[in-house]
Amino acid sequence: MEKIFNGESISILLFLIGVYGLLARRNIIKTVIALAIMQSAIILFFLTINYEDGRIPPIGDVTIHTAVDPVPQALMITAIVIGVAVTAVSLTMFISLYHHYGTTNWLKVINKRRED
Amino acid sequence: MTLFWLVVLPIITALIGYLSHYKRIFILIGIAQLCTVGVAIVTFIQVILYGPMTQALGDYEGSIGINLVADPISSFFVVLTCFLFTAMLLFNYHKSYMNRLFLFLFLTLQGLIIAIFLSNDLFDIYTLLEVSTVVVSILIMYKRDSQSIYDGMVYLLTNLVSMAFFLFGLGYVYKIFGTLDLTAIKAAIPYVENTDTLILPYVFLITAISLKSAIMPLFSWLPRAHGTPSAPSIVSAVLSGIFVKGGVYLFIRFQDTFAMGLDTSYIFILIGFATAVIGFVFALSQTDLKLLLAYSTVSQIGLIVFGLSLESDYSYYGAVYHIMNHAVFKATLFLTAGMIIEEYETRDIRKIKGVFKRMPFIAIITVIAIMGITGAPLFNGSVSKSLIQKGISYQSYLEYGLIFINLGTIITYIKYATILTGDHKKGHRVRWNQKVALSILAFACVLGGLLGQWFVGILFDLNITLSFTDLINKSLVYLVSILIGYTFYKYWYPKIHFFKTIWEVELSFNEIIFSIVFFFGSFLSYLLIIY
């Protein structure tokens, strides 16, 4: 059972939940949330790459054999920063869009846009 | 250190320009821009003379650190990027919206595009693409009217979704190879025992790259982003000219990297052909000047992907040369279209008449660019198109496909050229800086054709000779295609109801996501079945 519920399968599941949110929800806020879920899935996936029990964090004076691989963690710090920035930008754009169209629904925005 | 400066110089210039309150900052920016062009040309000459350059950032040599690599093709793309951005800045420097914020975003985008061409590290590429997505979406909605805000938002979110796919694929690549350096991955791929493991990361990465380069089911974001009504015309020109080529360039790199493990070139022949055909069908149905050009970009990208996948050196390098040519003439077309729209105050092709009489200079430049894109002999498009054709001259059905695509392009531009004729009185004056910028671009179109053999020889080490009889032959084929195209446009085109129904087809956001998932799913299941 532990073999099935490892980081990889959970992250794929989370990723698919995110994709479902993007596919099926017409609310723009929920689109942004679904994107954030996908990003969390990716972060979980990276952190569990080549995971083995008994490894220690690569901080301080450790020999190579016992420490975990630090590269994915370094990459993910960058990815988290990018994710926060990108979420902020998309929410800012959403506020601007909301002021123009007064709706949170993708379809209603398209319809109002056609009328212009 | 030169490679490093190519990326950093435009960004530092952008920052200084943004922070300083000096009134004549534009002169300083111009000087810095010329410096960047100089560095790019020097790098290109060095690469041609002494072979590819590699620079490790942070002094970690080999595949441990992050590398910048300049080979003949990528360094030529860098020169092209700098050249186009300089021409755009010159073209637009008198406009009121060219304030410090716009210049900051525009110059930063230049640095990012150069970095995409030079970078050799997958995570680096991810970061650059993500940042450039944000910058481009702000540039699209720069004038803040309601249409462009929606276009910018859809552009941003679809590209973010594709980058999430990219990052997931990157995780799998790291899991398999333990490195993110493209050269190291390419070297390690023949040693992968079970190629099944490569399928999932490959499909994740290629889905993201296909969306970036706008091939078949994933192109619906492009016309909205490139042809949005209110975006400044230099932004449209840069997006269609060089930014989308970043995606195509990454497509070349990834296909090259994974070629030893997974060979998918034959499926991309089909996808490329379908993209080209659908692109010109949609372009033909448009009545909006900018949207027609944007869909024509989709069609040309299809042609490029088609040429890249043909597995013949001539076609491959012909397609690469076509990327460069397309950058020049599509940028020219977008700039002139912007000026025509400004002068006539409408975007409807049916309402614009008599550009030759009203704006003679602009009309001549437009004709030169159209000759380039339709592949008239002696212009740059003909060199790349005949190279693509040369690679497949023994397979007749592929050659017919190519002629069909070119015929579609010609019909599209016959439709575009209808704005030139007709009667109109008033004259129009063109500012000197716009005149200079457009003349340089049009001159580049002609130069790319006249010196085509020399360029191809230097860049790709290919020898092509063009005899006089070939030239006559090509001119005849071109004239016949023009004739067929004109007859079709004049007599059949108005009768086909189909074109009138599809012009306003537009996918909503959820449908665009569905097309991404569909592409991903069908590609994955196809590869799983055949391997």
Side-chain angles (χ1 to χ4, degrees), chain B residues 112-134:
Chain B
L112 292 171
I113 294 175
I114 291 175
I116 289 173
F117 286 132
L118 293 178
S119 180
N120 201 35
D121 181 274
L122 275 175
F123 195 78
D124 227 20
I125 292 174
Y126 164 75
T127 320
L128 293 166
L129 286 176
E130 197 90 324
V131 179
S132 56
T133 303
V134 173

Side-chain angles (χ1 to χ4, degrees), chain B residues 41-223:
Chain B
I41 291 174
V42 168
T43 314
F44 176 63
I45 293 171
Q46 276 184 343
V47 168
I48 291 292
L49 291 180
Y50 307 114
M53 288 160 74
T54 307
Q55 185 187 3
L57 300 176
D59 286 339
Y60 291 100
E61 299 290 335
S63 61
I64 304 170
I66 295 172
N67 288 317
L68 295 180
V69 177
D71 53 20
I73 296 178
S74 67
S75 56
F76 190 77
F77 272 120
V78 171
V79 174
L80 192 71
T81 315
C82 295
F83 166 71
L84 275 182
F85 271 84
T86 316
M88 300 300 146
L89 285 175
L90 179 65
F91 179 83
N92 233 27
Y93 93 99
H94 62 282
K95 287 277 168 68
S96 58
Y97 59 78
M98 289 281 281
N99 55 14
R100 300 208 312 272
L101 179 62
F102 185 84
L103 280 174
F104 171 72
L105 293 170
F106 200 65
L107 289 173
T108 309
L109 183 64
Q110 180 188 358
L112 292 171
I113 294 175
I114 291 175
I116 289 173
F117 286 132
L118 293 178
S119 180
N120 201 35
D121 181 274
L122 275 175
F123 195 78
D124 227 20
I125 292 174
Y126 164 75
T127 320
L128 293 166
L129 286 176
E130 197 90 324
V131 179
S132 56
T133 303
V134 173
V135 171
V136 165
S137 60
I138 297 173
L139 278 176
I140 289 173
M141 48 197 276
Y142 193 75
K143 284 187 184 166
R144 280 186 177 239
D145 75 18
S146 49
Q147 281 219 322
S148 58
I149 284 176
Y150 173 78
D151 292 333
M153 182 110 194
V154 169
Y155 174 82
L156 179 76
L157 287 176
T158 42
N159 279 277
L160 290 182
V161 173
S162 85
M163 289 329 286
F165 277 79
F166 189 92
L167 197 52
F168 215 100
L170 204 153
Y172 270 108
V173 168
Y174 188 81
K175 190 173 179 177
I176 297 170
F177 296 105
T179 177
L180 293 171
D181 190 79
L182 278 173
T183 319
I185 293 171
K186 192 185 174 187
I189 275 188
Y191 302 104
V192 176
E193 285 171 6
N194 192 356
T195 45
D196 284 0
T197 51
L198 288 177
I199 291 178
L200 197 58
Y202 174 76
V203 175
F204 266 120
L205 291 176
I206 213 74
T207 306
I209 292 307
S210 301
L211 187 120
K212 278 282 167 195
S213 49
I215 63 175
M216 219 269 281
L218 309 175
F219 63 80
S220 45
W221 60 269
L222 184 140

Side-chain angles (χ1 to χ4, degrees), chain B residues 439-452:
Chain B
S439 309
I440 291 173
L441 285 171
F443 186 63
C445 277
V446 181
L447 210 65
L450 293 179
L451 299 180

Side-chain angles (χ1 to χ4, degrees), chain A residues 8 12 15 22-23 25 31 42 45-46 49 69 71 75 82 86 93 96-97 100-101 106 109-110 113, chain B residues 123 130 137 141 146 149-151 157 160-161 164 167-168 171-172 174-175 180 224 506 509-510 514:
Chain A
E8 188 177 338
I12 289 178
F15 192 82
L22 291 170
L23 269 177
R25 297 289 126 184
T31 303
I42 291 163
F45 179 69
F46 264 85
I49 286 176
D69 185 2
V71 176
L75 297 181
I82 295 174
V86 152
M93 283 194 183
S96 193
L97 190 84
H100 274 280
Y101 292 106
W106 283 111
V109 173
I110 284 197
R113 190 163 166 273
Chain B
F123 195 78
E130 197 90 324
S137 60
M141 48 197 276
S146 49
I149 284 176
Y150 173 78
D151 292 333
L157 287 176
L160 290 182
V161 173
L167 197 52
F168 215 100
Y172 270 108
Y174 188 81
K175 190 173 179 177
L180 293 171
R224 289 284 142 209
E506 186 192 344
F509 179 76
N510 302 93
F514 176 74

Side-chain angles (χ1 to χ4, degrees), chain B residues 331-371:
Chain B
T332 318
L333 282 169
F334 263 111
L335 291 185
T336 48
M339 292 184 74
I340 292 169
I341 290 169
E342 246 172 52
E343 175 73 15
Y344 282 81
E345 291 174 348
T346 173
R347 307 156 52 79
D348 196 328
I349 289 181
R350 294 164 296 189
K351 287 178 190 157
I352 303 176
K353 287 275 174 271
V355 177
F356 248 122
K357 292 255 169 68
R358 191 163 170 179
M359 315 164 84
F361 179 75
I362 303 298
I364 290 167
I365 301 285
T366 310
V367 167
I368 292 175
I370 288 178
M371 299 278 258

